[in-house]
Amino acid sequence: MFDGQDVLDIAREHDGAKYVLGARAPLTNKNWTGPWDCAELASWCAYQAYNIIFGASPRDPMRADAYTGFWWDDSVSNNAQCSVDEAIATPGAFLLRKPGDFRISIGHIAISCGDGSTFEARDARRGVGQFGGARDRHWSCGVLLPGIRYTANDLGLTHDPP
């Protein structure tokens, strides 16, 4: 059985990589080093860790293009949403801001480290890495991928966006 930690371990191999909004990451290229945008990093890591296509369309791994709107659609159709609090405390869970929510046109997706921080392709200035403050950001929901075993930490962290 796959663990939530698996996707986080793969993501961390790309610490310091370059962020480019709209970058494409070929899911089947296990040696891809970037550039990344948030959805491409999340979907690529999920494919590498679990061999599943999530948050990307079409369902052909050779042509799949990741997008936070597809993450939202897949999380709804797979009944994969959880509370933001649960995702913040769960290593390998995903934190998703749906495009358009909170009057922010662009969506965002990050991988929870389970301690209130995230690993993500953040933006052009900060690039790819681990960032604190997940509790204080706007998230629409958490996402737990189907068929993956997750273990939440009991840290008492709660979501408190601005």
Side-chain angles (χ1 to χ4, degrees):
M1 173 140 218
F2 297 117
D3 288 319
Q5 185 67 41
D6 298 337
V7 75
L8 191 53
D9 293 342
I10 288 170
R12 284 184 168 142
E13 294 174 11
H14 300 281
D15 191 23
K18 184 177 180 178
Y19 172 97
V20 174
L21 180 63
R24 294 282 303 265
L27 296 183
T28 58
N29 183 348
K30 69 178 183 173
N31 297 314
W32 186 255
T33 59
W36 306 96
D37 79 0
C38 64
E40 293 290 336
L41 179 67
S43 292
W44 184 89
C45 289
Y47 187 80
Q48 295 301 312
Y50 313 124
N51 201 36
I52 61 172
I53 299 173
F54 204 94
S57 184
R59 295 288 185 216
D60 174 356
M62 299 295 287
R63 298 184 307 128
D65 183 19
Y67 164 60
T68 53
F70 297 150
W71 271 88
W72 176 263
D73 295 344
D74 284 353
S75 71
V76 170
S77 65
N78 287 283
N79 196 30
Q81 292 183 353
C82 68
S83 73
V84 173
D85 287 346
E86 182 179 359
I88 287 172
T90 305
F94 294 85
L95 288 157
L96 173 63
R97 184 183 69 233
K98 179 184 175 187
D101 276 5
F102 313 105
R103 296 187 212 160
I104 304 170
S105 60
I106 193 167
H108 192 67
I109 185 92
I111 304 168
S112 175
C113 297
D115 61 1
S117 68
T118 56
F119 195 92
E120 61 190 284
R122 184 87 179 248
D123 58 34
R125 183 172 59 86
R126 292 175 275 206
V128 176
Q130 187 166 337
F131 302 94
R135 299 176 47 225
D136 305 323
R137 294 169 63 194
H138 289 295
W139 303 110
S140 304
C141 67
V143 179
L144 301 173
L145 299 181
I148 309 305
R149 180 179 50 219
Y150 292 95
T151 305
N153 294 318
D154 187 15
L155 303 175
L157 300 173
T158 56
H159 186 222
D160 187 24

